[in-house]
Amino acid sequence: MKRKIFGAVLAICIGWFQAEAMTGATIMTSPEVNNATSATLSCNLTNPSSPIKGHYWAKNGKKIEDSESTNMDSYAEHFIEKADYHQAGVYTCVFLTEPQANATIEVKASPHIKAPKNSENANEKDKAVLSCVGQGYPLPTDWNWFKLSDAGEQSTIYNGTDKYEIKSTPNRTTLYIKDLDINEDMGIYQCQGTSEVGTSKDQIQLRVRSQLAALWPFLGIVAEVIILITIIFVYEKRRKPDEINDDDDSGSAPLKSNAATNHKDKNVRQRNSN
């Protein structure tokens, strides 16, 4: 009985010791990076649960190529040459221990806002669709649309009106413009994305075509056909008298030839009879 009690107490103590050993490891990290031109990320592991066999770095959960090291040192660092929206994200330093120890560092940059198409064409009375995408970390939390005047002044476009509808997600915003008017809606539109780090924007030029624009190719073809028929008609009308004269001349020539031949034959017969 005493042995069972002692064994149970010993098992509890061993389990507690192992838990302490596993949770006792700590990693001191460099502070997060905000809109820096370059940065050096660092992690310092203390009280590892087992000998360190190496380390590597990951970005947004994906292992960074050529970042793995077999160095058994408790210090790891990763250099970022340009901490822009391309390099922004959540970085993780992973130490190869049993179990693995890791910590994260956030690299933040102003969002990059880009319109996939900087020019859009639409017909009058139809609907135009303008869109912009956001890249980087963190993604925009607020999206806004503006219409720019010829003087460069911007007027805010509000969602949910009879004219405009805006649909946005963290990485994309889309503006729908209904019942296009060639005089009021044509122009330059600006999309703007804002995150906790900064703001960025891009522009789209909207061209509105007249309702008759779709008929111009057809009308052009009709005009070409009419012109061609007119030319053929005039040409045939001018050419007809000349052809009649040519036909008369060609018809009279054989008659003269036959008359001459008959006259010669008559003269020959008369000479022979004499």
Side-chain angles (χ1 to χ4, degrees):
M1 186 64 179
K2 291 182 179 181
R3 289 182 179 180
K4 291 182 180 180
I5 295 174
F6 178 76
V9 173
L10 181 61
I12 293 173
C13 291
I14 293 175
W16 175 83
F17 177 78
Q18 289 177 343
E20 279 294 309
M22 292 176 63
T23 59
T26 58
I27 300 178
M28 297 294 295
T29 62
S30 57
E32 67 180 33
V33 180
N34 289 327
N35 281 335
T37 54
S38 62
T40 299
L41 311 182
S42 63
C43 292
N44 188 21
L45 174 64
T46 58
N47 300 322
S49 57
S50 67
I52 302 172
K53 298 180 181 179
H55 66 267
Y56 67 86
W57 288 84
K59 178 188 174 186
N60 297 330
K62 184 178 180 181
K63 186 176 180 180
I64 300 175
E65 295 183 4
D66 302 327
S67 68
E68 187 169 2
S69 172
T70 57
N71 191 340
M72 293 183 291
D73 194 1
S74 60
Y75 180 79
E77 67 177 24
H78 180 70
F79 178 70
I80 300 176
E81 184 175 358
K82 187 178 181 181
D84 58 2
Y85 73 96
H86 285 295
Q87 302 299 328
V90 179
Y91 287 78
T92 305
C93 57
V94 181
F95 288 92
L96 303 179
T97 58
E98 294 294 339
Q100 291 184 352
N102 60 75
T104 60
I105 304 173
E106 289 185 316
V107 176
K108 300 179 180 181
S110 295
H112 177 71
I113 307 302
K114 179 65 178 176
K117 296 175 63 177
N118 291 112
S119 178
E120 288 285 355
N121 298 316
N123 295 324
E124 195 174 16
K125 300 300 181 182
D126 287 347
K127 179 173 67 174
V129 180
L130 312 180
S131 64
C132 291
V133 296
Q135 296 174 301
Y137 179 84
L139 290 170
T141 53
D142 295 306
W143 288 99
N144 293 284
W145 283 90
F146 306 94
K147 188 176 187 300
L148 305 184
S149 66
D150 295 337
E153 298 178 353
Q154 62 181 28
S155 56
T156 304
I157 296 175
Y158 295 98
N159 190 19
T161 64
D162 294 336
K163 187 71 175 179
Y164 303 108
E165 181 182 4
I166 301 173
K167 294 182 180 180
S168 300
T169 62
N171 64 339
R172 176 180 288 270
T173 181
T174 303
L175 170 65
Y176 300 89
I177 308 173
K178 310 167 190 176
D179 192 20
L180 289 172
D181 184 280
I182 193 171
N183 297 315
E184 296 182 0
D185 297 324
M186 188 160 55
I188 297 177
Y189 292 79
Q190 180 176 282
C191 57
Q192 178 178 289
T194 302
S195 71
E196 62 181 84
V197 182
T199 299
S200 183
K201 55 192 175 183
D202 199 10
Q203 294 181 351
I204 306 172
Q205 184 173 10
L206 175 62
R207 297 182 177 90
V208 181
R209 296 173 295 200
S210 170
Q211 285 183 296
L212 298 177
L215 296 176
W216 288 124
F218 173 75
L219 295 177
I221 295 173
V222 172
E224 290 179 0
V225 171
I226 293 174
I227 293 172
L228 181 60
I229 292 174
T230 303
I231 292 173
I232 295 174
F233 176 77
V234 172
Y235 175 78
E236 290 293 333
K237 188 174 181 180
R238 290 183 177 181
R239 180 173 176 271
K240 193 171 183 179
D242 297 336
E243 290 183 346
I244 293 174
N245 293 334
D246 292 342
D247 292 341
D248 292 342
D249 294 342
S250 61
S252 60
L255 294 177
K256 293 180 181 180
S257 177
N258 292 336
T261 302
N262 293 333
H263 182 69
K264 289 180 180 180
D265 291 342
K266 185 183 293 186
N267 292 336
V268 171
R269 284 195 298 268
Q270 288 178 353
R271 286 198 296 271
N272 290 336
S273 61
N274 294 332

